[in-house]
Amino acid sequence: MNLKLNPFFNTPFIHCSIENWEFNKRRILYSLPEDTKNNLSSLHSKNNPVELGSDNIYTDYYENNKLNKLPNYSNLVVEIIRPYLKQFCNITHSPYKELHITSMWYHRYYDNSEFQVHQHGSIGWSSIIYLEFDPNVHKGTLFYSPSGIYNPWDGSLALNCPKINEGDMIIFPSNILHKSLKNTSNKRRTIISFNMLGVDNNLPFIKVNVE
C-alpha cells in the first residue's frame, strides 16, 4: 500500500531585487513626504482597531485614501519598476495588456512600531518595496496561508516570512493576510506598497502597458 502526501493548494508570490538600487533609493526617498504629525498613523487609525498600527508609524495612506488620489511619487516608482511588472505579467500568464495601479502609499516604522494583521481585499495583486531595510535588525513581512491550517494534528497555521534585503520587491495576491513585525531596533524601516488590477474600475490609476 502506497500513500502519498499531496498539497491541495499552492499560493504564488513574486520576489525580486531592483537593479541600480542605491541610485533609485535616493530618488524615491527624496520624493516622499516628510514625517510630520499630519501623517502619523495613530492620528488617523485610532477609531478603526482593524487598521490600528503603532504610534511610531508614519504613512500617507490615509491622506491618499481621503483625497482619492495617488501620491506624487507614484509615477517615479512606476518608472523604476515597470520592467519588473512586465516580467511579472509574463510569468503569471496575465490575460491583460495593461495593469492599473490603483493605490500607493508608504509606511515608515520607527522603534517598537508594527502593524496588525490585515489584507488588501480581493482586488488583484499587491506589492511591497523595501526602501529602507537592514536585514541585520529588521524582519520581512509575515504572511498567513489562505488555506489556513498547516498541521491538521495541532491546527497550527502555515506562515511564511520571506528573507528580505533592501531593494527587494515582492508581489502577492491582495487577499493574503499579512502583518509587519515589530521593529525592535532604533533604525527606521521604510516600505512602499501598492495595489494593482488588470481591469478597469472607478478608482484613480496609473496605466502600465505590459505588452
Side-chain angles (χ1 to χ4, degrees):
M1 181 183 296
N2 293 321
L3 290 100
K4 184 179 180 182
L5 186 64
N6 298 291
F8 261 129
F9 306 108
N10 182 28
T11 303
F13 78 99
I14 303 295
H15 188 174
C16 64
S17 298
I18 298 173
E19 296 179 352
N20 301 318
W21 176 245
E22 289 302 321
F23 173 66
N24 287 318
K25 174 185 176 180
R26 289 194 297 270
R27 296 170 70 198
I28 296 173
L29 282 175
Y30 182 77
S31 69
L32 293 183
E34 294 183 5
D35 296 349
T36 68
K37 285 188 175 181
N38 288 333
N39 54 23
L40 183 62
S41 176
S42 59
L43 294 179
H44 300 276
S45 61
K46 61 184 178 182
N47 294 322
N48 188 351
V50 174
E51 295 186 353
L52 185 59
S54 304
D55 287 343
N56 278 353
I57 297 178
Y58 288 79
T59 179
D60 61 347
Y61 172 82
Y62 299 100
E63 179 182 4
N64 298 340
N65 190 54
K66 180 180 179 180
L67 297 176
N68 194 32
K69 73 177 184 66
L70 287 156
N72 293 332
Y73 54 83
S74 55
N75 284 302
L76 171 62
V77 173
V78 170
E79 172 195 330
I80 292 170
I81 64 172
R82 188 183 301 272
Y84 304 94
L85 297 182
K86 287 186 177 183
Q87 189 176 1
F88 157 72
C89 287
N90 287 333
I91 65 177
T92 56
H93 306 292
S94 170
Y96 304 110
K97 295 182 179 180
E98 59 187 35
L99 292 175
H100 292 174
I101 295 179
T102 57
S103 56
M104 185 179 292
W105 63 94
Y106 88 100
H107 279 345
R108 179 163 281 156
Y109 299 87
Y110 287 93
D111 56 304
N112 291 315
S113 60
E114 60 185 326
F115 205 84
Q116 292 184 5
V117 178
H118 65 287
Q119 50 128 311
H120 299 179
S122 300
I123 57 173
W125 296 82
S126 296
S127 180
I128 301 172
I129 300 172
Y130 296 88
L131 184 61
E132 292 182 301
F133 189 92
D134 184 346
N136 294 314
V137 295
H138 297 150
K139 295 179 180 179
T141 308
L142 182 66
F143 292 89
Y144 295 73
S145 169
S147 57
I149 295 175
Y150 170 67
N151 187 339
W153 294 110
D154 61 18
S156 60
L157 293 175
L159 306 174
N160 191 339
C161 188
K163 185 177 180 180
I164 296 296
N165 290 306
E166 187 179 273
D168 284 1
M169 177 173 69
I170 59 175
I171 304 174
F172 54 94
S174 296
N175 61 350
I176 301 296
L177 287 169
H178 58 284
K179 70 170 294 183
S180 69
L181 298 171
K182 182 176 290 187
N183 182 6
T184 58
S185 74
N186 58 8
K187 194 170 188 178
R188 73 185 190 186
R189 180 181 71 216
T190 305
I191 63 97
I192 287 179
S193 190
F194 60 90
N195 296 322
M196 56 186 174
L197 295 168
V199 294
D200 287 330
N201 54 76
N202 294 323
L203 298 171
F205 61 85
I206 295 177
K207 186 183 298 185
V208 182
N209 190 298
V210 292
E211 286 188 299

